[in-house]
Amino acid sequence: MTESENLHQEEIIKELCLCNGLSYEIVGKEGSNASKLEMFFSGYPRIVGLSLFPNLTSLTIVAQDIKEISGLETCVLLKELWIAECCIEKIGGLQECRNLEKLYLYYNKISKIENLDKLIKLQVLWLNHNMIKNIEGLQTLKNLNDLNLAGNLISIIGRCLDINEQLEKLNLSGNQICSFKDLTNLTRLPHLRDLCLNDPQYKTNPVCLLCNYSTHVLYHLPCLQRLDTFDVSAKQIKELADTTAMKKIMYYNMRIKTVQRHLNEDLEKLNDRKCKLQKLPEERIKLFSFVKKNLERELAELKGSGKGHSDRFNNNKLTEVEKPKNHETVTEDPTLHQKILTKLNALTERVTFWNKKLDEIEAIYRIEVKQKKKSHGLLIPFLLIELETVGNIHFEEGTRSDDWFNSCYELILSRFCTWDFRTYGVTGVKVKRVIKVNNRILRLKFEEKFQKFLDHESMHDSETYRKMLECLFYVFDPEVMVKKKHLLQILEKGFKESETSKLPLRKEAVILANSLSLCECPRIEFLQQKYKDEKKNSLEHELFRHGILLITKVFLGQSVQAREQEAISQANYPMVNSVFIPRKYLLNSIVGQRNCDCGFRQCKWFVFDHDLVLPEYIAEFEYITVVKAHSLFSSFNNVIPEESKKISEGSILSQDLKVDDDVMKMEPKIKPQAKLISLDDKTILSLAKTNIYSHIVSLNLHGNSLSKLRDLSKLTGLRKLNISFNEFTCLDDVYHLYNLEYLDASHNHVITLEGFRGLMKLKHLDLSWNQLKKSGDEINVLCKHTTSLLTLNIQHNPWQKPATLRLSVIGRLKTLTHLDGHLISEEETTAAMKFITGTKITQLSILRHSSTKEERPRILSIWPSAKILTQISKFGPHLHLNGNWHLKGLCNLVILDVYGNIIVWNQENYRLFVIFHLPELKALDGISIEPPETESAKDLFGGRLTSDMITERQGHSNFSQMQELNWTSSSIRTVDLIPVDQFRNVSNVNLQNNNLTSFSGLIYLPNVKVLCLNYNHIESIMPRLKPQTHLTNRQLLYQKVPSSGYGQQGTSKINRDTMSSENLPPIMHSLEVLHLGYNGICNLIQLQLNRLRNLKFLFLQGNEISQVEGLDNLAVLQELVVDHNRIRAFNDSAFAKPSSLLALHLEENRLRELSKLQPLVKLEKLFLGYNKIQDITELEKLDVISTLRELTVYGNPICRKMLHRHVLIFRLPNLQMLDGIPVNSEDRVKAEFHFSELQAKKNMFTPVTNSPMDGGSFCPMKASPIKITNVILPGGFSHYLGPDFTLTPEVEDKKDKNTGILTSNPRSIHAEIAFRQLRGINLSPNLLSHPNIASPTAQMYQSNQNEGRIPGSTFSRSNRM
């Protein structure tokens, strides 16, 4: 170091000491213990002199002209370093600062994050306001918790921060991040709490301008506390984000399921068409095969007649005589032999011909299926992109009603020239689908760059620039063949460098064209050459018929024509935006004679700025080609004109059928034989022409109606068996034929190979033309029990997985040499082994696809997580709905897909069942659930009390310990408790306040003693099976309006005649107490209560009953409650038989008379409160019930006079309680006294009629009138009253059930006066006019008039529950 540099460094150190209040002299001599240094704004151009501060822990350098980080080698204790607002271009010189915890390098010129590997203790790193493009170099900073990279040039986050799991605070504002998908990488930072992408101090990231930005971030980062400087810790904010995301997932799940369903429907239609087309060839093949096998048998028989029995036979020809000579005798005729061979050859040719037709149909079907899947294959990825970008990339399928659809259609047609495609046999183009691409991210970039061009130009030039906008077709790389991945990448991220592109030119520019031929001809030629080299079937050439166009919006800007022999790159054309090449200069262009000038306008364009090419539309099209009409079976191919189809049907098909007929008519003609239905020993010996079972080596049972082979166990030497064209559904009976080598079981109905075992010597097996479906099960049987099998034919079976069937069979049956008539090649064997290996789940495959993390990061996807799959996988493909349906526990499930399970087809009302049991479900099998469906599900399945419901409430299913079942207010409509035997100990059932209309499944509970069904809608014990069609319209009307009081009697009469329940068997033998209150019951006969023979207590209060009937067989009934009904009187059948009834409750009815109670010989309690009894004579009818101990009659009109008490006490000697008041001896004495006096007075009284009262003895009544309300007087009594004395009837007051107790003394003088008035006794005028008596009497009657219910109406009856 020179002297001048030393002096300069010394000055810098002096300045450092001065700014920090230190003495340079002391520091220079002794060093310093200072731990913190600061230098601001100027005076420190280089980092020097720090060796003098060995204890330095914090260094702050701001706004200095420092170019590099150096001189920190001695600062081993440094923990905090600030070098901000300097000119640092590279991070370095920090290797020795291994204790550094905080590093601030903001506002510099750093372009790369590097050289931080040794700073393993670093917790804070600020690199904001630099020129960093990539996040890198942070792999070792595992303790980093605060990272600031705002104000840089970062466009991709990627997985670079995955290692920094301790990160809590991250600022990426002011960068160029534009992808929602990229933000999901932050979900792997479990401790992230503060994220900034849109800090107000910086420019906005493009991603923050997108819709649903905040929702997307908050959904994926639920632990976030602050977002873009705002507090987002509130629970409501997180729930709102979750709800929004869930709705998005639900919506796109439905859309995807709909696409899949439409694809399946289209494939089913194709399969139906294929089956219809294959029907005729299959019928012809079966016919020819049957005749062919008959001829082979004849040929074998012909040979056998000359050679006798032979132990040797050909595996493909029958050599033994198995058929009785039930037709004309066949001799060894060389001419006949030759005729048989000739016809056999002709039949074989026809079978081959029709097999080719089948193959042709199958080939075209596969092409159609492939095209359908390809067409639908783009729709699901489109929807997934929409979901992952939260709608910022949106795809819209167009229709004829959309202007943009018609514009695209016309654009494609205008840029199609027939002359360019005629060499490929293409005559036109048909647009099948147009999808509009709305990519908000790419559109913002495009508009931003386009606006920059407009800002630099005047208005005139701006209009010119707008004219430079053009719609062009993107030219795909022909070798890519429009791979789905490549197309999706363009639609999502734009025309960036493609991973699949092999052309260097595509890295420089986007290749476009304004002509369909320039886009498509290279692809067509490439495909033709490819299939030519591979020698594929000519049908595969039709694959180029379908294509995809990507229509883009392009800003061409400054454009020039390309110069020859100069590479097209931005370097060679620095001042232009695009380059074009006319068609005539393209090397692969063949310009022949043409009648149009399209070729002069056609150009290929090269646009250098990828952001100025915006993908806008995807068009799927199909070429209209000139194709030779093959046959009817090519009608899958819609390019065949209708005329060709008609020609096909009329000529080719009829010609083939004619050839078939000619072959069938060839000699010799075999007469049909009698078909065997069963097989026995005699028949076997007759067929084999021998008496020794062990000598039979070949047996031909072809063409019979056999379904069993019961007697073949004795044929121990049998080596060849033919049972084709029979009725076999299984092959269980051949398991004991241990020496069998050849078995032909074709053309049967075999559905399974279970029982097919022990055939270890079997070499040749034909199972074609059967009904085998489960390839896995059948291959397992063959693999286990036919270890020597060489040839196998399993064609023409409805296999579930036909695509992989051949590989599965070859891979499992390793001894096979021929399968379905084709030799198995080594390549096939290798491919099959690889396939079998791939189908096995190994430990390695599990580890490759598994994760050890407990928490699964959130992701916007419709694919279910492994946890959900674990729950559902137990059902497999055979999911059935039953009572114990496990999904019912998923109470928050909103989306469910069980499409493709057997449940969907086998379960009646499957959809409504699922909707009912999962009430939160919003979508099922890709179809949204509408409110009407929910209501239908409730109507169909709602209100079922099942064993599962009880299990869910109790937490166990041990029903045998249950004694009581209490399930109130649950809208139950039916009871379905299975198995019933487990509920044998249930004795008390309370289903009050539900919707039951019958006893439903309760009738099967064996030991129920108490049943409470109040507040339901019970109509009958048993469910009603048929409507009452026998009722007249008037009767039905009366039934619907029970308040009319009519119709019920008529109905009950009919029911007595037609619905008598006396002959019905009794049920519920243990039931003793039944509550049916408030059920709206109006017909007791319809209830069928007579079947409950052991019933003791019956409660029917609060119904609409008008007649007591249908209770005749209840011989042990002790208490009947029919309060609050509509009973007016009792008919003859009410209590027809002597009854054991002890208590009868009839309060709050409409009773006016008490007749026909004679059969109640044991009645002790009778409650008649609040009825319409007005006449004392009705109460006298209770004399017939001598056992009555308790009676209530309060609330009746007769009670207002309080005279009934004396009458009842006098006439009912055993009465102990009346209207809730005990009856004592004084009451009885008083009653007897009054009645004796009454009788005496009555005998002295002689009524005078038709004359006025003598003496005017009632005249003084004017001074003290008495008001009497609602009293029924005996006839003739009014003649004794004066003309001025009037009785005004008052309207009966409304009852009040909550009134207090009447405390008036019934033995008072006022009651005596009223009693005498009632019985017609002459009243003394002095007594009536006494001032102390008249007023209290009137008061008493007024009190009676306003008095409510007397105690007794609210007597507490013991609830026998």
Side-chain angles (χ1 to χ4, degrees):
M1 186 179 295
T2 62
E3 186 176 351
S4 61
E5 289 178 348
N6 284 332
L7 290 174
H8 184 58
Q9 181 173 329
E10 187 177 338
E11 292 297 325
I12 294 173
I13 296 173
K14 285 182 180 180
E15 184 68 22
L16 177 63
C17 294
L18 178 64
C19 291
N20 287 277
L22 302 174
S23 170
Y24 172 72
E25 290 77 10
I26 296 175
V27 170
K29 292 179 181 178
E30 303 175 4
S32 173
N33 293 327
S35 61
K36 186 175 182 180
L37 293 178
E38 296 179 346
M39 283 297 292
F40 291 93
F41 305 119
S42 63
Y44 201 63
R46 287 185 291 119
I47 303 177
V48 295
L50 297 183
S51 59
L52 302 173
F53 305 93
N55 297 322
L56 193 63
T57 58
S58 175
L59 175 61
T60 303
I61 304 173
V62 179
Q64 303 290 339
D65 193 18
I66 298 177
K67 297 288 191 298
E68 64 177 353
I69 303 173
S70 60
L72 299 175
E73 292 80 6
T74 60
C75 302
V76 293
L77 301 178
L78 196 63
K79 292 185 177 181
E80 185 174 339
L81 175 61
W82 297 65
I83 306 178
E85 301 180 31
C86 298
C87 302
I88 304 296
E89 296 180 354
K90 184 178 181 180
I91 302 175
L94 300 173
Q95 287 79 3
E96 302 301 325
C97 305
R98 301 191 178 185
N99 291 309
L100 203 60
E101 296 176 358
K102 298 180 180 180
L103 177 60
Y104 301 90
L105 298 175
Y106 58 87
Y107 275 103
N108 283 288
K109 298 180 181 180
I110 301 169
S111 60
K112 186 177 181 181
I113 306 175
E114 56 186 341
N115 300 322
L116 299 176
D117 303 346
K118 306 294 183 183
L119 309 183
I120 57 175
K121 295 183 179 181
L122 196 64
Q123 298 177 10
V124 180
L125 176 60
W126 282 27
L127 292 170
N128 47 308
H129 282 291
N130 280 284
M131 294 183 290
I132 300 169
K133 293 184 178 180
N134 299 311
I135 302 175
E136 56 188 340
L138 304 175
Q139 293 83 359
T140 60
L141 308 184
K142 295 185 179 181
N143 294 311
L144 195 65
N145 58 43
D146 185 354
L147 177 61
N148 190 337
L149 293 172
N152 282 284
L153 304 174
I154 298 169
S155 59
I156 297 175
I157 298 174
R159 304 182 67 97
C160 302
L161 295 175
D162 289 6
I163 198 68
N164 310 110
E165 292 187 352
Q166 300 301 318
L167 207 57
E168 296 180 7
K169 189 174 182 180
L170 177 62
N171 193 337
L172 291 171
S173 304
N175 282 285
Q176 298 172 8
I177 299 169
C178 58
S179 170
F180 271 167
K181 268 186 168 181
D182 203 19
L183 293 182
T184 57
N185 290 304
L186 299 178
T187 58
R188 291 184 291 275
L189 300 177
H191 298 98
L192 189 62
R193 298 293 180 270
D194 188 340
L195 175 63
C196 252
L197 294 166
N198 193 17
D199 193 318
Q201 300 179 15
Y202 298 89
K203 290 173 62 177
T204 302
N205 272 295
V207 72
C208 302
L209 300 174
L210 302 180
C211 301
N212 298 306
Y213 152 71
S214 300
T215 301
H216 184 273
V217 174
L218 292 174
Y219 171 74
H220 286 88
L221 301 172
C223 296
L224 216 57
Q225 301 296 313
R226 297 184 68 82
L227 174 63
D228 298 338
T229 71
F230 293 102
D231 185 1
V232 292
S233 58
K235 184 180 179 180
Q236 294 84 351
I237 297 176
K238 305 295 178 60
E239 288 179 349
L240 179 61
D242 287 353
T243 303
T244 306
M246 186 57 66
K247 288 179 180 177
K248 293 280 185 185
I249 292 173
M250 179 182 67
Y251 170 74
Y252 285 103
N253 179 67
M254 289 191 299
R255 293 275 304 275
I256 287 171
K257 295 305 176 188
T258 303
V259 170
Q260 292 173 336
R261 188 169 61 253
H262 289 165
L263 174 60
N264 289 333
E265 290 171 356
D266 289 347
L267 294 181
E268 285 178 7
K269 290 178 182 177
L270 277 177
N271 190 56
D272 290 342
R273 288 179 64 193
K274 181 189 78 168
C275 292
K276 289 179 182 177
L277 291 172
Q278 287 181 334
K279 188 175 181 181
L280 179 61
E282 288 176 352
E283 290 175 352
R284 308 308 290 180
I285 291 173
K286 285 186 177 181
L287 175 63
F288 293 140
S289 299
F290 183 79
V291 176
K292 187 178 174 183
K293 288 181 182 290
N294 282 342
L295 285 173
E296 288 175 348
R297 178 168 53 193
E298 292 295 329
L299 185 63
E301 188 175 312
L302 189 61
K303 292 181 178 178
S305 63
K307 298 180 181 178
H309 293 287
S310 174
D311 292 338
R312 303 188 61 183
F313 57 89
N314 189 307
N315 285 326
N316 298 319
K317 304 284 183 179
L318 297 176
T319 58
E320 290 291 317
V321 180
E322 302 89 357
K323 178 174 171 293
K325 298 301 174 71
N326 56 357
H327 56 281
E328 58 183 339
T329 306
V330 178
T331 58
E332 192 173 356
D333 184 0
T335 307
L336 178 60
H337 184 274
Q338 187 60 40
K339 286 181 179 180
I340 291 177
L341 291 178
T342 304
K343 189 170 183 178
L344 276 175
N345 291 333
L347 289 170
T348 303
E349 289 180 3
R350 296 315 295 165
V351 170
T352 304
F353 170 80
W354 288 112
N355 272 321
K356 285 182 178 179
K357 290 298 180 185
L358 282 180
D359 294 340
E360 178 187 343
I361 295 171
E362 187 67 32
I364 299 174
Y365 167 73
R366 288 177 182 173
I367 292 174
E368 292 290 329
V369 168
K370 187 175 182 180
Q371 183 55 35
K372 286 287 184 186
K373 290 182 177 180
K374 187 177 180 181
S375 179
H376 284 78
L378 282 174
L379 298 180
I380 292 178
F382 286 172
L383 292 171
L384 290 176
I385 290 175
E386 284 190 29
L387 174 60
E388 291 167 355
T389 60
V390 203
N392 285 283
I393 300 178
H394 176 62
F395 300 91
E396 179 184 357
E397 188 168 347
T399 62
R400 284 289 186 181
S401 60
D402 298 316
D403 293 338
W404 57 266
F405 176 87
N406 295 320
S407 299
C408 290
Y409 197 102
E410 293 169 2
L411 177 70
I412 295 171
L413 293 181
S414 66
R415 296 187 178 180
F416 171 81
C417 182
T418 311
W419 289 93
D420 297 332
F421 291 92
R422 61 179 181 174
T423 55
Y424 311 117
V426 176
T427 59
V429 65
K430 176 183 176 183
V431 179
K432 301 183 70 175
R433 175 191 288 164
V434 180
I435 298 174
K436 187 177 183 180
V437 183
N438 298 299
N439 190 325
R440 185 178 174 85
I441 304 166
L442 298 180
R443 187 172 294 278
L444 287 174
K445 288 183 180 180
F446 180 87
E447 291 176 352
E448 181 182 0
K449 290 204 173 183
F450 181 62
Q451 191 61 41
K452 286 182 180 178
F453 282 100
L454 296 183
D455 293 342
H456 287 86
E457 302 296 334
S458 62
M459 183 59 68
H460 177 72
D461 289 334
S462 297
E463 292 299 322
T464 304
Y465 273 159
R466 292 186 189 278
K467 291 179 181 178
M468 294 178 182
L469 291 173
E470 179 66 272
C471 284
L472 298 177
F473 303 141
Y474 177 67
V475 180
F476 287 96
D477 184 349
E479 296 186 17
V480 175
M481 293 174 57
V482 196
K483 290 284 178 61
K484 187 164 66 173
K485 181 180 178 182
H486 179 46
L487 178 61
L488 294 174
Q489 182 181 354
I490 292 173
L491 298 177
E492 184 177 358
K493 300 179 181 179
F495 294 92
K496 295 185 177 180
E497 181 181 339
S498 174
E499 298 176 1
T500 57
S501 177
K502 298 180 180 180
L503 300 178
L505 181 58
R506 294 182 180 271
K507 299 179 181 180
E508 291 286 341
V510 182
I511 305 176
L512 307 164
N514 62 356
S515 168
L516 197 61
S517 60
L518 293 179
C519 296
E520 282 291 296
C521 289
R523 181 180 74 92
I524 295 174
E525 292 175 0
F526 176 79
L527 287 176
Q528 286 183 335
Q529 186 61 41
K530 178 181 178 182
Y531 291 122
K532 184 178 179 181
D533 294 341
E534 296 177 5
K535 297 181 180 179
K536 290 282 188 82
N537 191 317
S538 60
L539 288 173
E540 295 289 346
H541 287 194
E542 298 178 358
L543 282 178
F544 80 78
R545 182 187 321 281
H546 302 277
I548 292 179
L549 276 178
L550 182 55
I551 305 173
T552 64
K553 181 180 180 180
V554 187
F555 175 66
L556 297 175
Q558 297 294 333
S559 182
V560 297
Q561 183 174 330
R563 297 184 288 269
E564 292 185 15
Q565 299 179 354
E566 189 169 312
I568 297 177
S569 65
Q570 186 73 71
N572 293 331
Y573 300 90
M575 303 302 294
V576 299
N577 304 109
S578 61
V579 174
F580 67 90
I581 303 177
R583 178 189 176 94
K584 60 183 178 180
Y585 294 109
L586 295 172
L587 295 177
N588 61 347
S589 174
I590 303 174
V591 183
Q593 292 183 352
R594 51 197 302 160
N595 297 328
C596 65
D597 56 352
C598 297
F600 300 105
R601 295 195 303 269
Q602 295 175 2
C603 295
K604 185 178 282 190
W605 298 82
F606 302 86
V607 181
F608 295 120
D609 193 337
H610 297 68
D611 292 335
L612 289 174
V613 183
L614 180 66
E616 285 208 309
Y617 303 99
I618 305 162
E620 295 181 14
F621 64 91
E622 178 182 358
Y623 290 121
I624 301 172
T625 58
V626 180
V627 180
K628 293 180 181 179
H630 298 295
S631 70
L632 176 66
F633 304 102
S634 296
S635 60
F636 272 96
N637 201 336
N638 52 16
V639 299
I640 298 178
E642 293 297 325
E643 293 78 17
S644 298
K645 286 187 183 179
K646 293 177 183 177
I647 294 170
S648 226
E649 285 183 52
S651 61
I652 300 177
L653 185 57
S654 59
Q655 185 178 352
D656 291 332
L657 295 176
K658 187 176 182 300
V659 172
D660 291 347
D661 292 339
D662 293 340
V663 172
M664 291 295 295
K665 292 175 182 178
M666 290 176 63
E667 293 293 337
K669 294 181 180 179
I670 307 298
K671 292 184 179 180
Q673 65 174 7
K675 291 189 176 182
L676 299 175
I677 299 176
S678 60
L679 200 64
D680 52 25
D681 294 351
K682 184 178 179 181
T683 306
I684 294 174
L685 294 174
S686 174
L687 290 171
K689 295 181 179 180
T690 181
N691 294 326
I692 303 174
Y693 288 107
S694 58
H695 289 177
I696 302 174
V697 295
S698 178
L699 185 62
N700 193 330
L701 298 173
H702 156 74
N704 289 289
S705 299
L706 298 173
S707 59
K708 287 290 182 181
L709 294 173
R710 292 190 177 89
D711 298 304
L712 292 186
S713 56
K714 302 175 183 178
L715 307 182
T716 55
L718 191 65
R719 296 162 58 191
K720 184 172 183 177
L721 177 63
N722 188 337
I723 55 173
S724 61
F725 287 97
N726 278 280
E727 304 294 332
F728 292 101
T729 57
C730 60
L731 301 175
D732 299 5
D733 298 328
V734 299
Y735 72 94
H736 46 261
L737 303 176
Y738 303 109
N739 292 311
L740 196 66
E741 297 182 8
Y742 178 94
L743 174 61
D744 184 355
S746 60
H747 296 279
N748 279 280
H749 309 292
V750 179
I751 58 175
T752 179
L753 293 182
E754 287 186 24
F756 188 79
R757 56 187 182 274
L759 305 179
M760 297 303 178
K761 293 184 179 180
L762 191 66
K763 297 179 181 178
H764 309 280
L765 176 61
D766 190 347
L767 293 170
S768 59
W769 300 96
N770 279 285
Q771 297 297 319
L772 297 171
K773 294 181 179 180
K774 299 178 181 179
S775 57
D777 296 346
E778 317 309 349
I779 294 172
N780 286 338
V781 172
L782 294 177
C783 188
K784 187 175 181 180
H785 299 289
T786 58
T787 55
S788 303
L789 203 59
L790 299 178
T791 65
L792 175 65
N793 192 339
I794 51 174
Q795 293 182 100
H796 306 294
N797 282 279
W799 298 108
Q800 290 178 344
K801 297 180 180 179
T804 59
L805 177 64
R806 186 172 178 85
L807 289 177
S808 299
V809 173
I810 295 173
R812 298 292 303 279
L813 303 177
K814 298 182 175 62
T815 58
L816 277 184
T817 58
H818 291 78
L819 177 60
D820 297 339
H822 301 288
L823 181 67
I824 299 174
S825 63
E826 293 184 5
E827 292 79 6
E828 276 188 307
T829 305
T830 305
M833 295 305 296
K834 187 177 180 181
F835 171 77
I836 293 297
T837 304
T839 58
K840 295 178 180 178
I841 299 178
T842 63
Q843 191 73 18
L844 182 63
S845 64
I846 292 175
L847 291 174
R848 187 183 298 122
H849 296 94
S850 63
S851 171
T852 57
K853 293 183 179 180
E854 294 182 3
E855 294 186 5
R856 179 175 176 266
R858 291 191 173 198
I859 185 170
L860 280 175
S861 172
I862 61 101
W863 309 123
S865 65
K867 184 176 181 181
I868 299 298
L869 288 177
T870 302
Q871 294 179 0
I872 296 182
S873 63
K874 70 179 77 173
F875 305 120
H878 302 285
L879 179 62
H880 293 279
L881 294 182
N882 50 43
N884 193 20
W885 198 47
H886 302 284
L887 290 181
K888 287 193 291 187
L890 305 177
C891 54
N892 295 320
L893 194 67
V894 294
I895 298 172
L896 176 65
D897 181 19
V898 288
Y899 183 82
N901 285 281
I902 295 177
I903 172 182
V904 178
W905 301 293
N906 289 359
Q907 185 73 27
E908 186 178 2
N909 298 312
Y910 136 78
R911 183 172 175 85
L912 294 180
F913 180 92
V914 176
I915 292 172
F916 173 75
H917 284 93
L918 298 173
E920 297 298 320
L921 205 64
K922 303 299 180 186
L924 175 61
D925 297 342
I927 304 173
S928 61
I929 296 171
E930 303 297 336
E933 280 188 298
T934 306
E935 293 302 320
S936 299
K938 288 180 180 178
D939 291 342
L940 189 60
F941 293 102
R944 289 183 64 195
L945 179 60
T946 62
S947 306
D948 292 339
M949 294 173 65
I950 299 173
T951 301
E952 290 175 10
R953 178 179 288 190
Q954 292 188 160
H956 65 83
S957 58
N958 187 13
F959 306 130
S960 59
Q961 302 298 320
M962 285 180 58
Q963 296 183 358
E964 182 174 337
L965 177 60
N966 194 336
W967 212 284
T968 61
S969 304
S970 299
S971 301
I972 294 170
R973 296 193 305 173
T974 58
V975 179
D976 187 14
L977 301 178
I978 298 175
V980 176
D981 183 58
Q982 292 191 16
F983 295 88
R984 58 185 176 275
N985 292 323
V986 175
S987 59
N988 287 12
V989 177
N990 182 6
L991 297 179
Q992 187 168 286
N993 197 20
N994 283 290
N995 295 324
L996 289 166
T997 57
S998 69
F999 286 17
S1000 188
L1002 295 173
I1003 63 174
Y1004 304 111
L1005 300 183
N1007 297 312
V1008 174
K1009 291 185 177 181
V1010 181
L1011 176 59
C1012 181
L1013 297 176
N1014 294 332
Y1015 297 99
N1016 279 277
H1017 308 290
I1018 302 295
E1019 299 174 353
S1020 173
I1021 292 177
M1022 304 297 290
R1024 292 178 60 183
L1025 300 179
K1026 296 181 180 180
Q1028 291 181 313
T1029 55
H1030 60 275
L1031 297 182
T1032 65
N1033 291 337
R1034 183 182 293 264
Q1035 289 167 340
L1036 289 172
L1037 176 62
Y1038 288 155
Q1039 239 186 10
K1040 293 178 181 176
V1041 190
S1043 60
S1044 66
Y1046 301 97
Q1048 301 300 324
Q1049 295 177 10
T1051 303
S1052 63
K1053 287 179 183 177
I1054 293 173
N1055 286 334
R1056 278 196 296 274
D1057 296 335
T1058 61
M1059 296 177 59
S1060 177
S1061 59
E1062 293 183 2
N1063 298 325
L1064 294 175
I1067 57 175
M1068 302 188 76
H1069 301 282
S1070 300
L1071 188 63
E1072 297 179 356
V1073 182
L1074 176 60
H1075 291 260
L1076 291 176
Y1078 305 97
N1079 273 275
I1081 298 169
C1082 57
N1083 191 325
L1084 287 180
I1085 289 183
Q1086 188 173 304
L1087 271 178
Q1088 302 180 11
L1089 293 175
N1090 268 337
R1091 304 180 69 176
L1092 307 175
R1093 302 293 168 82
N1094 296 317
L1095 199 62
K1096 294 181 179 179
F1097 302 93
L1098 176 59
F1099 296 83
L1100 293 166
Q1101 71 277 10
N1103 286 291
E1104 309 288 338
I1105 300 169
S1106 61
Q1107 291 291 343
V1108 177
E1109 53 191 347
L1111 306 178
D1112 305 341
N1113 291 346
L1114 303 184
V1116 296
L1117 188 66
Q1118 298 178 13
E1119 183 169 356
L1120 174 63
V1121 180
V1122 284
D1123 295 338
H1124 195 66
N1125 277 280
R1126 299 171 179 269
I1127 302 172
R1128 295 174 180 272
F1130 302 109
N1131 56 27
D1132 295 333
S1133 64
F1135 306 105
K1137 299 178 181 179
S1139 172
S1140 60
L1141 206 62
L1142 301 178
L1144 177 60
H1145 300 258
L1146 288 163
E1147 293 184 352
E1148 296 187 74
N1149 277 280
R1150 300 177 181 182
L1151 284 170
R1152 294 180 182 274
E1153 55 181 88
L1154 298 176
S1155 303
K1156 303 173 183 175
L1157 297 178
Q1158 295 86 347
L1160 302 178
V1161 294
K1162 295 183 180 181
L1163 193 67
E1164 297 179 357
K1165 298 180 181 181
L1166 178 61
F1167 302 92
L1168 298 171
Y1170 289 102
N1171 277 280
K1172 304 291 184 181
I1173 302 172
Q1174 300 180 1
D1175 197 342
I1176 196 71
T1177 57
E1178 294 301 324
L1179 295 180
E1180 293 175 355
K1181 294 178 182 179
L1182 298 177
D1183 293 354
V1184 298
I1185 311 176
S1186 59
T1187 57
L1188 204 61
R1189 294 186 295 105
E1190 182 176 347
L1191 175 67
T1192 63
V1193 291
Y1194 51 77
N1196 282 277
I1198 191 65
C1199 299
R1200 291 203 172 94
K1201 281 69 79 174
M1202 291 301 296
L1203 305 177
H1204 67 288
R1205 188 171 179 87
H1206 295 295
V1207 175
L1208 292 171
I1209 292 174
F1210 180 77
R1211 301 188 73 92
L1212 299 173
N1214 293 321
L1215 197 64
Q1216 299 177 7
M1217 183 79 71
L1218 178 59
D1219 290 341
I1221 302 173
V1223 176
N1224 52 33
S1225 57
E1226 291 182 12
D1227 293 333
R1228 294 202 174 279
V1229 171
K1230 188 65 176 175
E1232 290 174 2
F1233 170 77
H1234 283 298
F1235 267 91
S1236 62
E1237 183 179 317
L1238 176 70
Q1239 190 63 34
K1241 294 287 184 180
K1242 187 174 183 182
N1243 293 335
M1244 295 170 58
F1245 183 74
T1246 303
V1248 181
T1249 60
N1250 299 326
S1251 64
M1253 295 196 52
D1254 57 332
S1257 59
F1258 279 84
C1259 292
M1261 291 295 291
K1262 292 181 180 179
S1264 181
I1266 297 177
K1267 183 181 181 182
I1268 301 176
T1269 305
N1270 201 15
V1271 175
I1272 300 175
L1273 298 177
F1277 184 80
S1278 59
H1279 297 290
Y1280 297 96
L1281 301 178
D1284 296 327
F1285 184 84
T1286 58
L1287 297 176
T1288 306
E1290 297 291 328
V1291 179
E1292 182 181 355
D1293 290 341
K1294 189 178 181 180
K1295 304 179 184 71
D1296 183 8
K1297 298 181 183 179
N1298 298 320
T1299 54
I1301 300 175
L1302 180 66
T1303 57
S1304 301
N1305 186 354
R1307 293 173 295 174
S1308 65
I1309 187 63
H1310 315 294
E1312 294 292 338
I1313 294 172
F1315 181 76
R1316 294 187 185 193
Q1317 283 180 334
L1318 180 64
R1319 302 306 293 176
I1321 300 174
N1322 189 21
L1323 299 178
S1324 170
N1326 295 329
L1327 181 64
L1328 289 174
S1329 62
H1330 195 283
N1332 295 329
I1333 294 177
S1335 179
T1337 304
Q1339 292 173 4
M1340 182 192 75
Y1341 276 87
Q1342 185 67 30
S1343 174
N1344 271 347
Q1345 189 178 14
N1346 298 327
E1347 194 63 53
R1349 191 169 183 172
I1350 304 173
S1353 64
T1354 56
F1355 294 158
S1356 61
R1357 304 189 189 102
S1358 60
N1359 189 349
R1360 291 168 177 81
M1361 288 294 291

